[in-house]
Amino acid sequence: EDCAELWYTREDYANFRADMREQIQVALEEQEQTLWDEGKTSFFQVLKTLFIATHNVDCFLTNVSEALTEAQEKQISHLYNCDECRIDLIGLEHHVVDAIKKDARVHREAIQDAVYEIQLEHNKGLWSDMEAQDELRESCINFTQASGLFAQLLAKAQQAS
């Protein structure tokens, strides 16, 4: 009896999904409108700019702040702390900015290809176990660093709000 009151029901999950879809749809419509509003920087434009900044990093970094300009650091502090702040979109950014969704798909496929190739070469005896492990680690870091930096950036923005 008590568990039933504490656990979400199927209807609750259906409502969560419906709310999420509605938030995404509203955000996409809002984004479409802001495309035509010159002179105004939207939440979505800032999000995309910061996303691109993390993906332009060409060296290994563990701290996203090392990759950002002063202006970008300022944008982070205002991303979720402004008139049009979109706290309702936390965790849904990849649904409302096409560049993020496309990049995730491309990187997922690329990392799968890289892992497959390394495993294939290892099975042919071209890599020792240690060399294959090192190559897998470096390949994974190469393909996932930008996403990790972007996640750090979003966490900083949320913390600043």
Side-chain angles (χ1 to χ4, degrees):
E1 302 172 40
D2 292 334
C3 288
E5 292 177 20
L6 298 176
W7 292 17
Y8 291 119
T9 64
R10 286 181 188 244
E11 293 81 28
D12 291 332
Y13 284 114
N15 288 334
F16 295 152
R17 280 192 294 277
D19 289 345
M20 180 189 73
R21 285 188 194 106
E22 184 179 335
Q23 287 173 338
I24 291 169
Q25 188 59 41
V26 167
L28 291 173
E29 290 168 5
E30 179 184 319
Q31 187 177 172
E32 187 69 30
Q33 284 181 326
T34 60
L35 287 174
W36 305 109
D37 193 359
E38 293 181 29
K40 182 181 178 189
T41 303
S42 75
F43 169 85
F44 307 102
Q45 292 167 321
V46 171
L47 197 60
K48 185 176 179 179
T49 299
L50 295 171
F51 173 77
I52 291 168
T54 60
H55 283 68
N56 287 338
V57 174
D58 61 354
C59 60
F60 180 72
L61 294 177
T62 56
N63 184 349
V64 72
S65 295
E66 298 171 21
L68 300 175
T69 65
E70 208 172 298
Q72 290 167 333
E73 282 282 353
K74 194 175 283 189
Q75 286 178 324
I76 289 171
S77 65
H78 297 297
L79 188 62
Y80 293 107
N81 194 12
C82 60
D83 293 340
E84 64 163 281
C85 75
R86 298 307 309 258
I87 298 238
D88 58 327
L89 295 178
I90 291 175
L92 302 176
E93 293 87 358
H94 65 284
H95 288 292
V96 296
V97 178
D98 273 344
I100 299 172
K101 186 181 283 190
K102 288 176 186 174
D103 184 74
R105 184 175 51 251
V106 167
H107 276 99
R108 187 179 314 111
E109 291 171 5
I111 200 167
Q112 288 172 342
D113 291 344
V115 168
Y116 176 77
E117 289 296 320
I118 293 166
Q119 289 174 336
L120 194 64
E121 291 173 359
H122 177 260
N123 290 339
K124 289 181 180 178
L126 300 175
W127 301 91
S128 69
D129 287 347
M130 189 60 74
E131 290 170 332
Q133 291 170 10
D134 289 343
E135 189 63 27
L136 283 167
R137 182 181 64 252
E138 289 176 22
S139 293
C140 289
I141 287 171
N142 181 46
F143 289 115
T144 61
Q145 174 179 262
S147 297
L149 292 174
F150 187 62
Q152 279 184 39
L153 187 145
L154 292 176
K156 284 182 68 157
Q158 293 164 25
Q159 181 183 24
S161 65

